[in-house]
Coordinates of all heavy atoms in Angstrom, one line a residue:
M1 N 0.8 -1.2 0.0 CA 0.0 0.0 0.0 C 0.9 1.3 0.0 O 1.9 1.3 0.7 CB -0.9 0.0 1.3 CG -1.9 -1.0 1.4 SD -3.4 -0.2 1.8 CE -4.5 -1.3 1.0
T2 N 0.4 2.2 -0.8 CA 1.2 3.5 -0.8 C 0.4 4.5 0.1 O -0.8 4.5 0.2 CB 1.2 4.0 -2.2 OG1 -0.1 4.2 -2.7 CG2 2.0 3.0 -3.1
E3 N 1.2 5.3 0.7 CA 0.7 6.4 1.5 C 0.3 7.6 0.7 O 1.1 8.1 -0.1 CB 1.7 6.7 2.6 CG 1.1 7.4 3.8 CD 2.2 7.6 4.8 OE1 2.9 6.6 5.2 OE2 2.4 8.7 5.3
Q4 N -0.9 8.1 0.8 CA -1.4 9.2 0.0 C -1.1 10.5 0.7 O -1.1 10.6 2.0 CB -2.9 9.0 -0.2 CG -3.2 7.8 -1.1 CD -4.4 8.0 -1.9 OE1 -5.1 9.0 -1.7 NE2 -4.7 7.2 -2.8
D5 N -0.9 11.5 -0.1 CA -0.6 12.9 0.4 C -2.0 13.5 0.8 O -2.9 13.6 0.0 CB 0.0 13.7 -0.6 CG 0.5 15.0 -0.1 OD1 0.7 15.1 1.1 OD2 0.7 16.0 -0.9
T6 N -2.1 13.8 2.1 CA -3.4 14.3 2.6 C -3.4 15.8 2.9 O -4.2 16.3 3.6 CB -3.7 13.6 4.0 OG1 -2.7 13.8 4.9 CG2 -3.9 12.1 3.7
T7 N -2.4 16.5 2.3 CA -2.4 18.0 2.5 C -3.5 18.6 1.7 O -3.8 18.2 0.6 CB -1.0 18.6 2.1 OG1 -0.8 18.3 0.8 CG2 0.1 18.0 3.0
T8 N -4.1 19.6 2.3 CA -5.2 20.3 1.7 C -4.7 21.6 1.1 O -3.5 22.0 1.4 CB -6.4 20.6 2.6 OG1 -5.9 21.4 3.7 CG2 -7.0 19.3 3.1
E9 N -5.5 22.4 0.4 CA -5.1 23.6 -0.1 C -4.8 24.7 1.0 O -3.9 25.4 0.8 CB -6.2 24.2 -1.0 CG -5.9 25.5 -1.7 CD -7.0 26.1 -2.5 OE1 -7.9 25.3 -2.9 OE2 -7.0 27.3 -2.7
T10 N -5.5 24.6 2.1 CA -5.3 25.6 3.1 C -4.0 25.4 3.8 O -3.4 26.3 4.3 CB -6.4 25.6 4.2 OG1 -6.5 24.3 4.7 CG2 -7.7 26.0 3.5
E11 N -3.5 24.1 3.9 CA -2.2 23.9 4.5 C -1.0 24.3 3.7 O 0.0 24.7 4.2 CB -2.1 22.4 4.9 CG -3.1 21.9 5.9 CD -3.1 20.4 6.1 OE1 -2.3 19.7 5.4 OE2 -3.8 19.9 6.9
T12 N -1.2 24.3 2.4 CA 0.0 24.6 1.5 C -0.1 26.1 1.1 O 0.9 26.5 0.5 CB 0.0 23.7 0.3 OG1 -1.3 23.9 -0.4 CG2 0.1 22.3 0.6
R13 N -1.1 26.8 1.4 CA -1.3 28.2 1.0 C -0.2 29.1 1.7 O 0.0 28.9 2.9 CB -2.7 28.7 1.2 CG -2.9 30.1 0.7 CD -4.3 30.6 1.1 NE -5.3 29.7 0.6 CZ -6.5 29.8 0.8 NH1 -7.0 30.7 1.7 NH2 -7.4 28.9 0.3
Q14 N 0.4 30.0 1.0 CA 1.3 30.9 1.6 C 0.5 32.0 2.4 O -0.5 32.5 1.9 CB 2.2 31.6 0.5 CG 3.1 30.7 -0.2 CD 4.3 30.3 0.7 OE1 4.6 31.0 1.6 NE2 4.8 29.1 0.4
R15 N 1.1 32.3 3.5 CA 0.5 33.4 4.3 C 1.1 34.7 3.9 O 2.2 34.8 3.6 CB 0.7 33.2 5.8 CG 0.0 32.0 6.3 CD 0.3 31.7 7.8 NE -0.3 30.6 8.2 CZ -1.2 30.6 9.2 NH1 -1.5 31.7 9.9 NH2 -1.8 29.5 9.6
R16 N 0.2 35.8 3.9 CA 0.7 37.1 3.6 C 1.6 37.7 4.7 O 1.2 37.5 5.9 CB -0.4 38.1 3.3 CG -1.1 37.8 2.0 CD -2.2 38.8 1.7 NE -1.7 40.1 1.6 CZ -2.4 41.2 1.7 NH1 -3.7 41.2 1.9 NH2 -1.8 42.4 1.6
V17 N 2.7 38.3 4.4 CA 3.6 38.9 5.3 C 3.7 40.4 5.0 O 4.0 40.7 3.8 CB 4.9 38.2 5.3 CG1 5.9 38.8 6.3 CG2 4.8 36.7 5.7
L18 N 3.5 41.3 6.0 CA 3.7 42.7 5.8 C 4.6 43.3 6.8 O 4.7 42.7 7.9 CB 2.3 43.4 5.9 CG 1.2 43.0 4.9 CD1 -0.1 43.7 5.2 CD2 1.6 43.3 3.5
T19 N 5.2 44.4 6.5 CA 6.1 45.1 7.4 C 5.6 46.5 7.6 O 5.3 47.1 6.6 CB 7.6 45.1 6.9 OG1 8.0 43.8 6.6 CG2 8.5 45.8 7.9
G20 N 5.5 46.9 8.8 CA 4.9 48.2 9.1 C 5.4 48.8 10.5 O 6.2 48.1 11.2
T21 N 4.8 49.9 10.8 CA 5.2 50.6 12.1 C 4.0 50.5 13.0 O 2.9 50.7 12.7 CB 5.5 52.1 11.8 OG1 6.5 52.1 10.8 CG2 6.1 52.7 13.0
V22 N 4.3 50.3 14.3 CA 3.3 50.2 15.3 C 2.9 51.6 15.7 O 3.7 52.5 16.0 CB 3.8 49.5 16.6 CG1 2.7 49.5 17.7 CG2 4.2 48.1 16.3
V23 N 1.6 51.9 15.5 CA 1.1 53.3 15.8 C 0.3 53.3 17.1 O 0.0 54.4 17.7 CB 0.3 53.9 14.7 CG1 1.1 54.1 13.5 CG2 -0.9 53.0 14.3
S24 N -0.1 52.2 17.6 CA -0.9 52.1 18.9 C -0.7 50.7 19.5 O -0.7 49.7 18.9 CB -2.4 52.3 18.6 OG -3.1 52.2 19.8
D25 N -0.5 50.8 20.9 CA -0.4 49.5 21.6 C -1.2 49.6 22.9 O -0.9 49.0 23.9 CB 1.1 49.2 22.0 CG 1.7 50.3 22.9 OD1 1.1 51.4 23.0 OD2 2.8 50.0 23.4
K26 N -2.3 50.4 22.9 CA -3.1 50.7 24.1 C -4.1 49.5 24.4 O -4.5 49.4 25.5 CB -3.9 51.9 23.9 CG -3.0 53.2 23.8 CD -3.8 54.4 23.7 CE -2.8 55.6 23.5 NZ -3.5 56.9 23.6
M27 N -4.3 48.6 23.5 CA -5.2 47.5 23.7 C -4.4 46.3 24.3 O -3.2 46.2 24.1 CB -5.9 47.1 22.5 CG -6.9 48.1 21.9 SD -7.5 47.7 20.3 CE -6.3 48.4 19.3
D28 N -5.1 45.5 25.0 CA -4.5 44.3 25.6 C -4.3 43.2 24.5 O -5.3 42.8 23.9 CB -5.3 43.7 26.7 CG -4.6 42.6 27.5 OD1 -3.4 42.7 27.5 OD2 -5.3 41.7 28.0
K29 N -3.0 42.8 24.3 CA -2.7 41.8 23.3 C -3.0 42.2 21.9 O -3.2 41.3 21.0 CB -3.3 40.4 23.7 CG -2.9 39.9 25.0 CD -3.4 38.5 25.2 CE -3.0 37.9 26.6 NZ -3.4 36.6 26.8
T30 N -3.1 43.4 21.6 CA -3.4 43.9 20.3 C -2.6 45.1 20.0 O -2.5 46.0 20.8 CB -4.9 44.3 20.1 OG1 -5.7 43.1 20.5 CG2 -5.3 44.7 18.7
I31 N -2.1 45.2 18.7 CA -1.3 46.4 18.3 C -1.9 46.8 17.0 O -2.6 46.0 16.3 CB 0.2 46.1 18.1 CG1 0.4 44.9 17.1 CG2 0.9 45.9 19.4 CD1 1.8 44.7 16.8
V32 N -1.8 48.1 16.7 CA -2.3 48.7 15.4 C -1.0 49.0 14.6 O -0.1 49.7 15.0 CB -3.1 49.9 15.6 CG1 -3.6 50.5 14.2 CG2 -4.3 49.6 16.4
V33 N -0.9 48.4 13.4 CA 0.3 48.5 12.6 C -0.1 49.2 11.3 O -1.1 48.9 10.6 CB 0.8 47.1 12.2 CG1 2.1 47.2 11.3 CG2 1.2 46.3 13.4
Q34 N 0.7 50.3 11.0 CA 0.4 51.1 9.8 C 1.4 50.6 8.7 O 2.6 50.7 8.9 CB 0.6 52.5 10.0 CG 0.4 53.4 8.8 CD 0.3 54.9 9.2 OE1 -0.5 55.3 9.9 NE2 1.3 55.6 8.7
V35 N 0.9 50.2 7.6 CA 1.7 49.7 6.4 C 1.6 50.7 5.3 O 0.5 51.1 4.9 CB 1.3 48.3 6.0 CG1 2.1 47.9 4.8 CG2 1.4 47.3 7.1
Q36 N 2.7 51.2 4.8 CA 2.7 52.2 3.8 C 3.3 51.6 2.5 O 4.3 50.9 2.6 CB 3.6 53.4 4.2 CG 3.5 54.6 3.2 CD 4.1 55.9 3.8 OE1 4.5 55.9 5.0 NE2 4.1 56.9 3.0
R37 N 2.7 51.9 1.4 CA 3.2 51.4 0.1 C 3.0 52.5 -0.9 O 2.1 53.3 -0.9 CB 2.5 50.1 -0.3 CG 1.1 50.3 -0.8 CD 0.5 48.9 -1.2 NE -0.8 49.1 -1.9 CZ -1.0 48.9 -3.2 NH1 -0.1 48.4 -3.9 NH2 -2.2 49.1 -3.7
R38 N 3.9 52.5 -1.9 CA 3.8 53.4 -3.1 C 3.6 52.6 -4.3 O 4.2 51.6 -4.5 CB 5.1 54.2 -3.2 CG 5.3 55.3 -2.1 CD 6.5 56.1 -2.4 NE 6.2 57.0 -3.5 CZ 7.1 57.4 -4.4 NH1 8.3 57.1 -4.3 NH2 6.7 58.3 -5.4
F39 N 2.7 53.1 -5.2 CA 2.5 52.4 -6.4 C 2.1 53.4 -7.5 O 1.7 54.5 -7.2 CB 1.3 51.4 -6.3 CG 0.0 52.0 -5.9 CD1 -0.9 52.3 -6.9 CD2 -0.3 52.2 -4.6 CE1 -2.2 52.8 -6.5 CE2 -1.5 52.7 -4.2 CZ -2.5 53.0 -5.2
K40 N 2.3 53.0 -8.7 CA 2.0 53.9 -9.8 C 0.5 53.7 -10.2 O 0.0 52.6 -10.4 CB 2.8 53.5 -11.0 CG 2.8 54.6 -12.1 CD 3.7 54.2 -13.2 CE 4.8 55.2 -13.4 NZ 5.7 55.0 -14.5
H41 N -0.2 54.8 -10.3 CA -1.7 54.8 -10.6 C -1.8 54.3 -12.0 O -1.2 54.7 -12.9 CB -2.3 56.2 -10.4 CG -3.8 56.2 -10.4 ND1 -4.5 56.1 -11.6 CD2 -4.7 56.2 -9.4 CE1 -5.8 56.1 -11.3 NE2 -5.9 56.1 -10.0
P42 N -2.7 53.3 -12.2 CA -2.8 52.7 -13.6 C -3.3 53.7 -14.7 O -2.8 53.6 -15.8 CB -3.9 51.6 -13.4 CG -4.5 51.8 -12.1 CD -3.6 52.7 -11.3
R43 N -4.1 54.6 -14.3 CA -4.6 55.6 -15.4 C -3.7 56.8 -15.4 O -3.4 57.3 -16.5 CB -6.1 56.0 -15.1 CG -6.5 57.1 -16.0 CD -8.0 57.4 -15.9 NE -8.7 56.4 -16.6 CZ -10.1 56.3 -16.5 NH1 -10.7 57.1 -15.7 NH2 -10.7 55.3 -17.1
Y44 N -3.4 57.4 -14.3 CA -2.8 58.7 -14.3 C -1.3 58.6 -14.3 O -0.6 59.7 -14.4 CB -3.3 59.6 -13.2 CG -4.8 59.8 -13.2 CD1 -5.6 59.3 -12.3 CD2 -5.3 60.5 -14.3 CE1 -7.0 59.4 -12.4 CE2 -6.7 60.7 -14.4 CZ -7.5 60.1 -13.4 OH -8.9 60.3 -13.5
R45 N -0.7 57.4 -14.2 CA 0.7 57.2 -14.2 C 1.5 58.1 -13.2 O 2.6 58.6 -13.4 CB 1.3 57.5 -15.6 CG 0.6 56.7 -16.7 CD 1.1 55.3 -16.7 NE 0.6 54.6 -17.8 CZ -0.2 53.6 -17.8 NH1 -0.7 53.1 -16.6 NH2 -0.6 52.9 -18.9
K46 N 0.9 58.3 -12.1 CA 1.4 59.1 -11.0 C 1.6 58.3 -9.8 O 0.8 57.3 -9.5 CB 0.5 60.3 -10.7 CG 1.0 61.4 -9.8 CD -0.1 62.4 -9.7 CE 0.4 63.6 -8.9 NZ -0.6 64.6 -8.8
Y47 N 2.7 58.5 -9.0 CA 3.0 57.7 -7.9 C 2.0 58.1 -6.7 O 1.9 59.3 -6.4 CB 4.4 57.8 -7.4 CG 5.3 56.9 -8.3 CD1 6.0 57.5 -9.4 CD2 5.4 55.5 -8.1 CE1 6.8 56.7 -10.2 CE2 6.2 54.8 -8.9 CZ 6.9 55.3 -10.0 OH 7.6 54.6 -10.8
V48 N 1.4 57.1 -6.1 CA 0.5 57.4 -5.0 C 0.9 56.7 -3.8 O 1.4 55.5 -3.8 CB -0.9 56.9 -5.4 CG1 -1.9 57.2 -4.3 CG2 -1.4 57.5 -6.7
S49 N 0.9 57.3 -2.6 CA 1.2 56.7 -1.3 C -0.1 56.2 -0.7 O -1.1 57.0 -0.6 CB 1.9 57.6 -0.4 OG 3.2 57.9 -0.9
E50 N -0.1 55.0 -0.2 CA -1.3 54.5 0.5 C -0.8 54.0 1.9 O 0.2 53.3 2.0 CB -1.8 53.3 -0.3 CG -3.0 52.7 0.3 CD -3.5 51.5 -0.6 OE1 -2.7 50.6 -0.8 OE2 -4.7 51.5 -1.0
R51 N -1.6 54.4 2.9 CA -1.3 53.9 4.3 C -2.5 53.1 4.7 O -3.7 53.6 4.7 CB -1.1 55.1 5.2 CG 0.2 55.9 4.9 CD 0.3 57.0 5.8 NE -0.8 58.0 5.5 CZ -0.8 59.2 6.0 NH1 0.1 59.6 6.8 NH2 -1.9 60.0 5.8
L52 N -2.3 51.9 5.1 CA -3.3 51.0 5.7 C -3.0 50.6 7.1 O -1.8 50.5 7.4 CB -3.5 49.8 4.8 CG -3.9 50.0 3.4 CD1 -3.9 48.7 2.6 CD2 -5.4 50.5 3.4
R53 N -4.0 50.5 7.9 CA -3.8 50.2 9.3 C -4.4 48.8 9.6 O -5.6 48.6 9.2 CB -4.4 51.2 10.2 CG -3.7 52.6 10.1 CD -4.6 53.7 10.7 NE -4.9 53.5 12.1 CZ -4.5 54.2 13.1 NH1 -3.7 55.2 12.8 NH2 -4.8 54.0 14.3
Y54 N -3.7 47.9 10.2 CA -4.1 46.6 10.5 C -4.0 46.4 12.0 O -3.0 46.8 12.6 CB -3.2 45.5 9.8 CG -3.3 45.6 8.3 CD1 -2.2 46.3 7.6 CD2 -4.3 45.0 7.6 CE1 -2.2 46.3 6.2 CE2 -4.3 45.1 6.2 CZ -3.3 45.8 5.5 OH -3.3 45.8 4.1
K55 N -5.0 45.7 12.6 CA -4.9 45.3 13.9 C -4.3 43.9 14.0 O -4.7 43.0 13.3 CB -6.3 45.3 14.6 CG -6.8 46.7 14.8 CD -8.1 46.7 15.6 CE -8.6 48.1 15.9 NZ -8.9 48.9 14.7
A56 N -3.3 43.7 14.8 CA -2.6 42.4 14.9 C -2.5 41.9 16.3 O -2.5 42.7 17.3 CB -1.2 42.6 14.3
H57 N -2.5 40.6 16.5 CA -2.4 40.0 17.8 C -1.0 39.9 18.3 O -0.1 39.5 17.6 CB -3.0 38.6 17.7 CG -3.1 37.9 19.0 ND1 -4.0 38.3 20.0 CD2 -2.4 36.8 19.5 CE1 -3.9 37.5 21.0 NE2 -2.9 36.6 20.7
D58 N -0.8 40.4 19.5 CA 0.5 40.4 20.1 C 0.4 39.8 21.5 O 0.0 40.4 22.5 CB 1.1 41.9 20.3 CG 2.4 42.0 20.9 OD1 3.1 40.9 21.1 OD2 2.8 43.1 21.3
E59 N 0.6 38.5 21.5 CA 0.3 37.7 22.7 C 1.0 38.1 24.0 O 0.5 38.1 25.1 CB 0.7 36.2 22.4 CG 0.3 35.2 23.6 CD -1.2 35.1 23.8 OE1 -1.9 35.2 22.9 OE2 -1.5 35.0 25.0
T60 N 2.3 38.6 23.8 CA 3.1 38.9 25.0 C 3.2 40.4 25.3 O 3.9 40.8 26.1 CB 4.5 38.3 24.9 OG1 5.1 38.8 23.7 CG2 4.5 36.8 24.8
N61 N 2.5 41.2 24.5 CA 2.5 42.7 24.6 C 3.9 43.2 24.6 O 4.3 44.1 25.3 CB 1.8 43.1 25.9 CG 0.3 43.0 25.9 OD1 -0.3 43.2 24.8 ND2 -0.3 42.7 27.0
Q62 N 4.7 42.7 23.6 CA 6.1 43.1 23.6 C 6.4 44.3 22.6 O 7.4 45.0 22.7 CB 7.0 42.0 23.2 CG 6.7 41.3 21.9 CD 7.5 40.1 21.6 OE1 8.3 39.7 22.5 NE2 7.3 39.4 20.5
A63 N 5.5 44.5 21.6 CA 5.7 45.6 20.6 C 5.2 46.9 21.2 O 4.2 47.0 21.8 CB 5.0 45.3 19.3
K64 N 6.0 47.9 21.0 CA 5.7 49.3 21.5 C 5.5 50.2 20.3 O 5.9 49.9 19.2 CB 6.8 49.8 22.5 CG 7.0 48.9 23.7 CD 5.7 48.8 24.5 CE 5.9 47.8 25.6 NZ 4.7 47.4 26.2
V65 N 5.0 51.4 20.6 CA 4.8 52.4 19.6 C 6.1 52.8 18.9 O 7.1 53.1 19.6 CB 4.1 53.7 20.1 CG1 4.0 54.8 19.1 CG2 2.7 53.3 20.7
G66 N 6.2 52.9 17.6 CA 7.4 53.2 16.9 C 8.2 52.1 16.4 O 9.1 52.2 15.6
D67 N 7.9 50.9 16.9 CA 8.7 49.7 16.5 C 8.3 49.3 15.0 O 7.2 49.5 14.6 CB 8.4 48.5 17.4 CG 8.9 48.6 18.8 OD1 9.7 49.6 19.0 OD2 8.6 47.8 19.6
V68 N 9.3 48.8 14.3 CA 9.0 48.3 13.0 C 8.8 46.8 13.1 O 9.7 46.1 13.7 CB 10.2 48.6 12.0 CG1 9.9 48.0 10.6 CG2 10.4 50.1 11.9
V69 N 7.7 46.3 12.7 CA 7.3 44.9 13.0 C 6.9 44.2 11.7 O 6.6 44.8 10.7 CB 6.2 44.7 14.0 CG1 6.6 45.3 15.3 CG2 4.9 45.4 13.5
R70 N 7.0 42.8 11.7 CA 6.5 42.0 10.6 C 5.3 41.3 11.1 O 5.3 40.6 12.2 CB 7.6 41.0 10.2 CG 7.3 40.3 9.0 CD 8.4 39.3 8.5 NE 9.7 39.9 8.5 CZ 10.7 39.5 9.3 NH1 10.6 38.4 10.1 NH2 11.9 40.1 9.2
I71 N 4.2 41.4 10.4 CA 2.9 40.7 10.7 C 2.6 39.7 9.6 O 3.0 39.8 8.5 CB 1.8 41.7 11.0 CG1 1.5 42.6 9.7 CG2 2.0 42.6 12.2 CD1 0.3 43.5 9.8
V72 N 1.9 38.6 10.1 CA 1.5 37.6 9.2 C 0.0 37.3 9.3 O -0.6 37.5 10.3 CB 2.3 36.3 9.5 CG1 2.1 35.8 10.9 CG2 2.1 35.2 8.5
S73 N -0.6 37.0 8.2 CA -2.1 36.7 8.2 C -2.4 35.5 8.9 O -1.6 34.5 9.0 CB -2.6 36.6 6.7 OG -2.0 35.5 6.1
C74 N -3.6 35.4 9.5 CA -4.0 34.3 10.3 C -5.5 34.2 10.3 O -6.2 35.0 9.6 CB -3.5 34.3 11.8 SG -4.2 35.7 12.7
R75 N -6.1 33.2 11.0 CA -7.5 33.1 11.0 C -8.1 34.3 11.8 O -7.4 34.9 12.5 CB -7.9 31.8 11.7 CG -7.5 31.8 13.2 CD -7.9 30.4 13.8 NE -7.5 30.4 15.2 CZ -8.2 30.9 16.2 NH1 -9.4 31.5 16.0 NH2 -7.8 30.8 17.4
P76 N -9.4 34.6 11.6 CA -10.0 35.7 12.3 C -10.0 35.5 13.8 O -10.5 34.4 14.3 CB -11.4 35.7 11.8 CG -11.3 35.1 10.4 CD -10.3 34.1 10.5
L77 N -9.4 36.4 14.6 CA -9.3 36.3 16.0 C -10.4 37.1 16.7 O -10.8 36.9 17.8 CB -8.0 36.7 16.5 CG -6.8 35.9 16.0 CD1 -5.5 36.5 16.3 CD2 -6.9 34.5 16.5
S78 N -10.9 38.2 16.0 CA -12.0 39.0 16.5 C -12.6 39.7 15.3 O -12.3 39.3 14.2 CB -11.5 40.0 17.5 OG -10.7 41.0 16.9
R79 N -13.4 40.7 15.5 CA -14.1 41.3 14.4 C -13.1 42.0 13.4 O -13.4 41.9 12.2 CB -15.1 42.4 14.9 CG -16.0 42.9 13.9 CD -16.9 43.9 14.4 NE -16.2 45.2 14.6 CZ -16.8 46.3 14.8 NH1 -18.1 46.4 14.9 NH2 -16.1 47.4 15.0
E80 N -12.1 42.6 13.9 CA -11.1 43.3 13.0 C -9.7 42.7 13.0 O -8.9 43.1 12.2 CB -11.0 44.7 13.5 CG -12.3 45.5 13.3 CD -12.2 46.9 13.7 OE1 -11.3 47.3 14.5 OE2 -13.0 47.7 13.3
K81 N -9.4 41.7 13.9 CA -8.1 41.1 14.0 C -8.0 39.9 13.1 O -8.6 38.9 13.3 CB -7.8 40.8 15.4 CG -6.9 41.7 16.1 CD -6.2 41.2 17.3 CE -6.9 40.5 18.3 NZ -6.2 40.3 19.6
R82 N -7.1 40.0 12.0 CA -6.8 38.9 11.1 C -5.3 38.8 10.9 O -4.9 38.1 10.0 CB -7.5 39.1 9.8 CG -9.0 38.6 9.7 CD -9.9 39.8 9.8 NE -11.3 39.4 9.6 CZ -12.2 39.2 10.5 NH1 -11.8 39.3 11.8 NH2 -13.4 38.9 10.2
W83 N -4.5 39.4 11.7 CA -3.1 39.4 11.6 C -2.5 39.0 13.0 O -3.1 39.3 14.0 CB -2.6 40.7 11.1 CG -3.1 41.1 9.8 CD1 -4.2 41.7 9.5 CD2 -2.4 40.8 8.5 NE1 -4.4 41.8 8.1 CE2 -3.3 41.3 7.5 CE3 -1.2 40.2 8.2 CZ2 -2.9 41.2 6.2 CZ3 -0.9 40.2 6.8 CH2 -1.8 40.7 5.8
S84 N -1.3 38.5 13.0 CA -0.6 38.2 14.2 C 0.9 38.7 14.1 O 1.4 38.7 13.0 CB -0.6 36.8 14.6 OG 0.0 36.0 13.7
L85 N 1.5 39.1 15.2 CA 2.9 39.5 15.2 C 3.8 38.4 14.9 O 3.7 37.4 15.6 CB 3.2 40.2 16.5 CG 4.6 40.7 16.7 CD1 4.8 41.9 15.8 CD2 4.8 41.1 18.2
Q86 N 4.7 38.5 13.9 CA 5.7 37.5 13.7 C 7.0 37.8 14.3 O 7.6 37.0 15.0 CB 5.8 37.3 12.2 CG 6.7 36.1 11.8 CD 6.9 36.0 10.3 OE1 7.0 37.0 9.6 NE2 6.8 34.7 9.8
A87 N 7.5 39.1 14.1 CA 8.8 39.4 14.7 C 8.8 41.0 14.8 O 8.2 41.7 14.0 CB 9.9 38.9 13.8
I88 N 9.7 41.4 15.7 CA 10.0 42.8 15.8 C 11.3 43.0 15.0 O 12.3 42.5 15.3 CB 10.2 43.3 17.2 CG1 8.8 43.1 18.0 CG2 10.6 44.7 17.3 CD1 8.9 43.5 19.4
V89 N 11.2 43.8 13.9 CA 12.4 44.0 13.0 C 13.3 45.0 13.6 O 14.5 44.8 13.6 CB 11.9 44.5 11.6 CG1 13.1 44.7 10.7 CG2 11.0 43.4 11.0
E90 N 12.8 46.1 14.2 CA 13.6 47.2 14.7 C 12.9 47.8 15.9 O 11.7 48.2 15.7 CB 13.9 48.2 13.6 CG 14.8 49.3 14.0 CD 14.9 50.3 12.8 OE1 15.0 49.9 11.7 OE2 15.0 51.5 13.1
K91 N 13.6 48.0 17.0 CA 13.0 48.6 18.1 C 13.0 50.2 17.9 O 13.9 50.7 17.3 CB 13.7 48.3 19.4 CG 13.6 46.8 19.8 CD 12.2 46.4 20.2 CE 12.0 46.7 21.7 NZ 10.7 46.2 22.1
A92 N 12.0 50.8 18.5 CA 12.0 52.3 18.4 C 13.1 52.9 19.3 O 13.4 52.4 20.3 CB 10.6 52.8 18.9
T93 N 13.6 54.0 18.8 CA 14.6 54.7 19.6 C 14.0 55.6 20.7 O 12.9 56.2 20.5 CB 15.5 55.6 18.7 OG1 14.6 56.6 18.1 CG2 16.2 54.8 17.7
L94 N 14.5 55.6 21.9 CA 14.0 56.4 23.0 C 14.4 57.8 22.9 O 15.6 58.1 22.5 CB 14.4 55.8 24.3 CG 14.0 54.4 24.6 CD1 14.6 53.9 25.9 CD2 12.5 54.4 24.8
V95 N 13.5 58.7 23.1 CA 13.8 60.2 22.9 C 13.9 60.8 24.3 O 13.1 60.5 25.2 CB 12.8 60.9 22.1 CG1 13.1 62.4 22.0 CG2 12.8 60.3 20.7

């Protein structure tokens, strides 16, 4: 008998990974991450900056405001939380 591969599409699907800056850490186990991207507008051929804010799960409350973090998509954890903290890329400088 041969063993069959039982992996499904959801197990092999790549998760989205984004890098952004923490703009709020006032909630318990939740951070707000702002991701900025620049793209060329398809019709007007002009560069446009877009800022999106994502709520991400931070289990240990280790990310602080100003940190550059990497977030990864996950299953829905609440009404607006669909991301979780993967790593802190750069800590914020103290002023």
Side-chain angles (χ1 to χ4, degrees):
M1 294 228 150
T2 60
E3 199 172 308
Q4 295 208 350
D5 189 21
T6 59
T7 60
T8 61
E9 181 185 336
T10 57
E11 292 174 0
T12 59
R13 184 182 305 171
Q14 291 287 334
R15 294 177 181 239
R16 288 184 61 198
V17 178
L18 298 174
T19 303
T21 307
V22 178
V23 293
S24 174
D25 63 347
K26 296 183 181 189
M27 295 172 272
D28 186 32
K29 297 185 180 182
T30 303
I31 56 174
V32 180
V33 180
Q34 181 171 296
V35 176
Q36 187 168 358
R37 72 179 191 114
R38 287 186 74 210
F39 62 96
K40 192 177 241 183
H41 194 279
R43 171 174 283 172
Y44 300 115
R45 305 286 188 243
K46 191 174 182 181
Y47 283 99
V48 181
S49 291
E50 179 183 56
R51 293 179 296 191
L52 295 174
R53 293 164 59 114
Y54 299 99
K55 288 186 176 64
H57 185 67
D58 180 11
E59 183 66 35
T60 57
N61 287 325
Q62 60 185 358
K64 301 299 177 197
V65 175
D67 291 351
V68 177
V69 296
R70 188 178 313 119
I71 57 175
V72 63
S73 63
C74 65
R75 65 181 179 85
L77 300 172
S78 69
R79 190 180 75 165
E80 295 180 338
K81 256 200 311 192
R82 275 101 171 100
W83 298 84
S84 62
L85 178 68
Q86 186 180 43
I88 297 177
V89 177
E90 182 181 326
K91 294 293 272 183
T93 57
L94 297 174
V95 178

